Amino acid sequence: MLSADERNIIENSIRDIKDFPKKGIVFKDITTLLNNKEAYATLMNHLASRYRSYNLDYIAGIDARGFIFGAALAQMLGLGFVPIRKKGKLPYTTFSEKYALEYGVDEIEVHIDAFGEKKGARVLVIDDLIATGGTANAAAKLVKQTGAECVECCFIIALTFLDGVKKLQEQTEVYSVIEVK
């Protein structure tokens, strides 16, 4: 559990950018968290403490900001890291999952052998932010397609007013460090 001081350190390191990428949107910029060594260390130590007892086999990060948190967390916990990439970015045979966007459809992929030979590998999926939940739902489905178990999806920020967390909770547990209501 984050202390009030730790929560403030993390929250105060995230910059709001108004009208990006379009008018009416308030973009949550995590680059200011990443370049703040105290905030990044506070966040990563919190995540390592939370997930140390989960008996995980892998951390899977969603392209691209999930790689930043996922790879660091995997190293801290002594686990393998698996990238979940946008279509066409992985060199080997993949499973793919399409998901709806505001204007169209996108697709993400994972290698068919991403989680090794062990069926039922325990996997944590991580990304920087959940909004409508399309990408995260697709990522959780991909983990299951490989025969692994998506134990939980973790986000640094959850925009709870967009209901992505509620949709994702229909298929897996969800944890968010910061919630924006």
Side-chain angles (χ1 to χ4, degrees):
M1 190 82 177
L2 277 176
S3 70
D5 285 342
E6 291 169 325
R7 182 170 305 286
N8 284 334
I9 289 167
I10 295 168
E11 285 180 345
N12 291 334
S13 72
I14 299 168
R15 174 172 49 192
D16 286 351
I17 307 291
K18 292 182 180 170
D19 297 325
F20 182 84
K22 64 183 184 178
K23 190 165 181 62
I25 302 288
V26 178
F27 185 83
K28 296 295 185 184
D29 181 11
I30 59 141
T31 63
T32 48
L33 182 152
L34 296 172
N35 73 14
N36 178 326
K37 66 182 180 182
E38 180 186 17
Y40 189 58
T42 299
L43 172 66
M44 295 312 299
N45 287 331
H46 166 68
L47 293 176
S49 175
R50 175 180 173 79
Y51 290 110
R52 196 164 274 119
S53 65
Y54 273 56
N55 195 29
L56 298 169
D57 296 304
Y58 296 91
I59 307 290
I62 299 174
D63 198 345
R65 291 178 297 269
F67 298 174
I68 297 165
F69 302 106
L73 183 58
Q75 190 279 326
M76 291 173 82
L77 296 177
L79 302 172
F81 174 74
V82 172
I84 296 177
R85 303 279 330 252
K86 293 176 180 153
K87 183 174 176 58
K89 301 291 184 182
L90 292 172
Y92 187 62
T93 308
T94 62
F95 288 116
S96 65
E97 188 69 34
K98 292 181 181 174
Y99 59 97
L101 296 170
E102 188 177 355
Y103 299 105
V105 175
D106 210 344
E107 193 168 355
I108 55 175
E109 299 178 321
V110 69
H111 282 141
I112 60 171
D113 59 354
F115 304 110
E117 300 294 320
K118 177 182 173 187
K119 291 293 179 199
R122 294 175 53 81
V123 179
L124 171 72
V125 173
I126 191 166
D127 204 1
D128 67 325
L129 183 136
I130 183 168
T132 60
T135 310
N137 269 294
K141 288 176 184 174
L142 280 176
V143 169
K144 291 175 184 174
Q145 281 183 49
T146 68
E149 175 190 357
C150 182
V151 174
E152 189 166 85
C153 285
C154 173
F155 305 94
I156 311 312
I157 304 165
L159 304 180
T160 57
F161 59 92
L162 292 175
D163 292 331
V165 170
K166 285 182 185 174
K167 292 177 194 170
L168 185 57
Q169 285 173 329
E170 293 172 9
Q171 68 169 317
T172 190
E173 296 294 318
V174 178
Y175 173 70
S176 306
V177 178
I178 307 292
E179 292 186 349
V180 178
K181 297 177 186 211

